[in-house]
Amino acid sequence: MADPLAGKRILLGVSASIAAFKAVALASDLIKTGASVDVVMTPNATRFVAPLSFEAITHRPVLTDLFDPAAGSIAHVSLGVDTDAFVVAPATADCIAGLALGLAHDALLATALCTRAPTLVAPAMETLMLEHPATQQNLETLRQRGVTIVEPAAGRLASGRVGRGRMAEPADIIDVLRAKIGRPADLAGRTIVVTAGGTQEPIDPVRHIGNRSSGKMGYAIATAARDRGARVILISAPATVPPPSGVELRPVITALEMKAAVEDAVQGADALIMAAAVADFRVASRAEQKIKRTGEELTLHLIPNPDIVAGIRSDTLVKVGFAAETSDLLAHAREKLIRKGLDLIAANDVTAPGSGFGGDTNQLVLIDRRGTEVLPLLSKREAADRVLDRVCSLLAERKASLPLDATQNG
Ligand code: PMT
């Protein structure tokens, strides 16, 4: 199958960061997808990587100077207009500030003002610069303008310090780009409710019963649904990663809070996807004060939480659950599919390497009433898209089976 980026025109903006060397790999990987790539660099970026490196890979001239007569006086206009997507990687704090303010003093910024194509920005900088309120405000300005921020990762930085600010890997940037421009907006007009994270059940004011969910699987589904055009309501229990932008975030802590939020959000929604790890039990009576060590044993009295997804009854809502299992994956998942009245269940063996809690990959088995599809080990983003492919089919089937007068009303 052809890569969704094949034939697309991608404009790559490179600003002055040590991560500029990764932009060479990004250009090369983009070319391998079948896309054509133009590069525009800030003058200081050329001190990190020579334009020739990009020219050798893309077989196209690189724009570095707004006033270069050889490039033509309107090169920034034609580059900005004739592109399917603009990817700024790496984006320094200075470049992000220029993009947010609409400055145009270099070729990259001037080109950015001329493009109306979907734009991705991959920040790269020291943690202190990234976390500075000025940078955060500039990033928020870009998000509100519809720019997709490809979040930087944590790791060793150029200064030798360790922290967040490393530019996302080329493969991750390309994944986001594929989702942004390579897919049809097949969920446009749909409202998708996604739950994510792990609920926490308080024991006393300082302790809780929790689980190992990072929120990554649910957030990947929310991001993928957003990129496919859906209005996304993300009901998130505590998670270890930042939530995606461009979704309606409804934070919750406990299973009971999640239940109330889900019941409210599904009114008028098309699908509910429960990726959250929900506590099955809560402490019967939460201590008002911190429980003191006495040297004696302590017994907690746990009572069952309601099953949130099982309690949602609707003929029109597509209901998708996850099954986190440590044994007999298929048998347990099939039982949950039926007992919870689900249309689809995504089962993951949370003891398998690369699957389940915390990591960036998952191996899902999709089970509905007709059969079982074993997916390969995929990034959580790719796995999310496979779940959404099935949601799209279920929504289409649901519409086809509705009585005529119901379909006429939309
Ligand atoms: O967040 P990550 O670190 O990326 O990890 C992803 C994940 C492992 C959490 C995710 O892939 C996953 O498996 N989520 C479901 C976890 C879970 O609670 O599974 P379960 O088998 O206990 O529950 C089955 C389904 O019922 C789930 O959709 C769950 O959300 C729902 N449920 C469970 C209990 C409850 N009281 N109410 C519910 O609605």
Side-chain angles (χ1 to χ4, degrees):
M1 203 171 66
D3 192 292
L5 295 180
K8 301 282 186 195
R9 290 160 306 178
I10 311 297
L11 178 60
L12 175 61
V14 181
S15 66
S17 157
I18 182 66
F21 77 92
K22 279 199 202 168
V24 179
L26 176 59
S28 167
D29 290 351
L30 282 170
I31 295 283
K32 284 181 204 150
T33 67
S36 65
V37 179
D38 280 293
V39 177
V40 55
M41 300 175 78
T42 64
N44 281 336
T46 64
R47 297 166 73 172
F48 286 95
V49 179
L52 188 60
S53 302
F54 292 106
E55 283 171 1
I57 285 167
T58 64
H59 302 162
R60 298 165 84 88
V62 171
L63 182 66
T64 58
D65 180 0
L66 262 184
F67 307 104
D68 177 4
S73 57
I74 54 154
H76 60 290
V77 180
S78 46
L79 277 181
V81 171
D82 297 332
T83 191
D84 293 308
F86 185 29
V87 181
V88 186
T92 61
D94 183 66
C95 174
I96 289 166
L99 291 169
L101 280 174
L103 301 181
H105 56 256
D106 64 34
L108 190 159
L109 293 174
T111 307
L113 284 183
C114 294
T115 192
R116 298 294 178 268
T119 300
L120 269 61
V121 165
M125 67 194 78
E126 279 291 316
T127 313
L128 289 167
M129 298 170 80
L130 179 68
E131 289 178 350
H132 194 285
T135 307
Q136 287 301 314
Q137 206 171 342
N138 289 331
L139 286 169
E140 193 47 38
T141 300
L142 295 180
R143 280 190 196 100
Q144 281 171 10
R145 253 181 235 155
V147 170
T148 301
I149 309 298
V150 189
E151 294 296 336
R156 195 175 172 77
L157 303 168
S159 62
R161 296 159 69 117
V162 174
R164 222 160 72 82
R166 283 171 67 87
M167 188 179 97
E169 292 305 317
D172 295 329
I173 296 172
I174 290 175
D175 264 356
V176 177
L177 187 60
R178 276 198 193 102
K180 187 105 180 147
I181 66 164
R183 279 197 166 270
D186 52 4
L187 286 173
R190 300 291 191 179
T191 298
I192 309 289
V193 180
V194 181
T195 67
T199 61
Q200 296 180 349
E201 305 300 327
I203 298 170
D204 66 17
V206 298
R207 303 182 181 94
H208 63 255
I209 299 172
N211 61 66
R212 292 173 37 227
S213 173
S214 62
K216 287 181 181 177
M217 190 66 243
Y219 286 6
I221 293 172
T223 307
R226 175 201 69 191
D227 290 344
R228 292 166 76 150
R231 169 187 174 220
V232 178
I233 301 174
L234 172 59
I235 298 169
S236 182
T240 61
V241 289
S245 53
V247 302
E248 292 174 38
L249 181 67
R250 301 191 184 171
V252 296
I253 307 279
T254 65
L256 288 180
E257 287 172 15
M258 181 169 279
K259 177 174 183 285
V262 168
E263 285 170 355
D264 177 58
V266 294
Q267 306 300 324
D270 296 287
L272 166 66
I273 305 176
M274 290 279 306
V278 184
D280 283 317
F281 299 93
R282 68 179 184 278
V283 178
S285 168
R286 169 196 165 161
E288 289 304 320
Q289 304 298 332
K290 183 181 171 191
I291 300 172
K292 298 289 181 209
R293 163 197 280 276
T294 61
E296 299 297 313
E297 285 182 5
L298 175 70
T299 303
L300 293 175
H301 179 204
L302 301 181
I303 55 172
N305 270 328
D307 189 320
I308 301 170
V309 75
I312 302 289
R313 307 251 170 234
S314 162
D315 291 337
T316 50
L317 186 77
V318 167
K319 280 203 314 179
V320 180
F322 271 70
E325 305 297 343
T326 55
S327 67
D328 299 325
L329 181 70
L330 298 187
H332 287 312
R334 283 193 188 112
E335 185 274 324
K336 284 178 183 169
L337 175 82
I338 305 298
R339 176 164 52 86
K340 293 173 186 258
L342 302 171
D343 297 291
L344 177 72
I345 194 158
N348 40 192
D349 178 348
V350 292
T351 62
S355 266
F357 294 106
D360 293 318
T361 55
N362 210 356
Q363 206 239 306
L364 296 179
V365 181
L366 303 182
I367 305 169
D368 63 13
R369 278 146 210 264
R370 282 179 234 162
T372 299
E373 181 187 8
V374 181
L375 300 183
L377 184 68
L378 297 170
S379 69
K380 282 187 172 163
R381 174 55 201 254
E382 286 173 299
D385 270 313
R386 299 292 284 268
V387 171
L388 291 177
D389 288 345
R390 298 288 289 268
V391 169
C392 285
S393 306
L394 286 162
L395 286 168
E397 283 169 25
R398 192 136 300 185
K399 189 168 180 208
S401 66
L402 282 176
L404 194 56
D405 54 349
T407 54
Q408 278 169 346
N409 289 334

